[in-house]
Amino acid sequence: MRETNDKGPRQLETVARACDVIDALEELDGAGVTELADALDISKSSAYSYLSTLRTKRLVVKDDDDTYRLSLEFLYLGKTIRHRHVLFEHGKQQIDRLAEETGEYVHLMCEQHGLERNIYKVAGENAVGDAYHTTKERKADFLHFTSTGKAVLAYLPDARVEAIIDEYGLVRKTENTITDRDALFEEIQTIRERGYAVNDEEEVAGIRAVGAPIRDANGAILGAISVSGPTSRLNDDRYHETLPKKVMESANVTEASINMSNASQSL
């Protein structure tokens, strides 16, 4: 078992390669030994060994046609992680309520590794874009063009924001996407002053969103809540006053629940 230590903490190559195998199976939607070996540029014997080990650990299953796929263990693992997450535990009720009140899509997210991770989403009765929102739940996304992402960026240290931009850039999604570093920091300052963020067709043309940060008792950012919908419904006072107030209230209630829970544990 070889260890690598070119930069940063020492890494186990076999573990890293096993993670590569898992990523490849997800990306390829299943693969045979030869296809996996070609995708990872490893020998077929190595590919088979990794697949056999992961299969023994019940993380991979093998179809009748010798195609290997990720097992449902990942589904159970993901649900366990979500249900144990502090934002889901204390924010789920607020997301459900907000979706019912607004009729739109409502999201709960956090930042990990400089990307947006969607923890929970609920579609109100008038919500649009089911396929798109389902895809977002499966993949991490950039922070700079969503209302939740910008709400989180606004309460991260500036140096951390700079590091995230350096790593991922400012990818353009629409003509409204902020792609200039200085412009993003100006937006971040506005968010800090008013307490909420907006996505004005910056991610998808015709869609707006309002997001508010969720912070702990010390002011550290935990995540954010957002409401999104068509510009025809998110306009005028609803977009600039009503929804920001509702979203910030939901974020505040979630914060209060988290902080009271933490305080009770210290008694």
Side-chain angles (χ1 to χ4, degrees):
M1 180 169 55
R2 222 174 97 198
E3 298 176 349
T4 59
N5 191 24
D6 296 333
K7 291 182 180 180
R10 185 173 61 187
Q11 299 179 27
L12 298 178
E13 187 176 356
T14 52
V15 176
R17 180 63 73 188
C19 292
D20 291 340
V21 170
I22 291 170
D23 289 342
L25 290 178
E26 188 275 328
E27 200 68 36
L28 296 169
D29 192 20
V33 173
T34 300
E35 185 181 7
L36 181 66
D38 290 342
L40 296 178
D41 194 24
I42 59 177
S43 67
K44 287 194 287 186
S45 61
S46 292
Y48 179 76
S49 294
Y50 279 107
L51 289 169
S52 296
T53 302
L54 291 170
R55 189 180 178 198
T56 299
K57 294 300 182 180
R58 300 182 180 179
L59 296 175
V60 165
V61 295
K62 182 182 178 183
D63 293 346
D64 292 338
D65 63 355
D66 292 334
T67 297
Y68 292 85
R69 302 183 187 279
L70 299 181
S71 80
L72 292 175
E73 291 294 328
F74 287 97
L75 175 64
Y76 300 134
L77 180 61
K79 286 188 174 182
T80 298
I81 293 170
R82 182 173 74 169
H83 280 270
R84 290 177 178 174
H85 198 287
V86 65
L87 288 179
F88 183 83
E89 180 184 355
H90 295 276
K92 179 181 182 300
Q93 185 176 358
Q94 290 303 309
I95 298 300
D96 292 337
R97 180 189 61 79
L98 202 53
E100 183 176 356
E101 287 184 1
T102 64
E104 308 290 358
Y105 253 112
V106 182
H107 283 89
L108 177 67
M109 61 74 72
C110 70
E111 174 267 326
Q112 285 187 350
H113 306 115
L115 295 171
E116 177 169 309
R117 311 280 175 163
N118 282 283
I119 297 170
Y120 184 55
K121 67 176 176 65
V122 178
E125 62 179 354
N126 299 318
V128 299
D130 288 347
Y132 182 79
H133 288 289
T134 298
T135 300
K136 280 181 64 68
E137 199 173 35
R138 295 173 182 165
K139 292 284 189 181
D141 211 342
F142 302 113
L143 297 168
H144 65 283
F145 50 64
T146 69
S147 63
T148 45
K150 288 194 288 183
V152 166
L153 287 173
Y155 293 94
L156 289 174
D158 286 352
R160 173 67 175 141
V161 178
E162 293 277 11
I164 290 172
I165 297 172
D166 289 342
E167 182 170 2
Y168 298 108
L170 296 173
V171 176
R172 182 181 296 279
K173 292 279 287 195
T174 73
E175 62 180 16
N176 287 356
T177 304
I178 296 174
T179 58
D180 177 77
R181 188 182 298 247
D182 290 339
L184 180 60
F185 273 99
E186 289 178 10
E187 180 85 352
I188 283 173
Q189 184 56 39
T190 298
I191 294 166
R192 290 170 178 167
E193 292 170 358
R194 70 187 177 196
Y196 69 92
V198 297
N199 162 9
D200 191 2
E201 300 186 76
E202 297 165 52
E203 181 181 8
V204 178
I207 297 293
R208 284 177 174 151
V210 177
I214 300 170
R215 295 186 288 168
D216 67 15
N218 297 316
I221 187 69
L222 300 175
I225 290 175
S226 72
V227 174
S228 64
T231 56
S232 58
R233 294 202 295 261
L234 270 65
N235 58 19
D236 301 327
D237 287 347
R238 189 174 191 236
Y239 180 53
H240 295 287
E241 295 182 18
T242 305
L243 285 180
K245 182 178 178 179
K246 285 182 177 292
V247 174
M248 286 192 291
E249 178 185 352
S250 295
N252 177 250
V253 172
T254 303
E255 289 174 344
S257 178
I258 292 171
N259 294 336
M260 291 182 70
S261 177
N262 291 338
S264 67
Q265 293 174 16
S266 63
L267 293 177

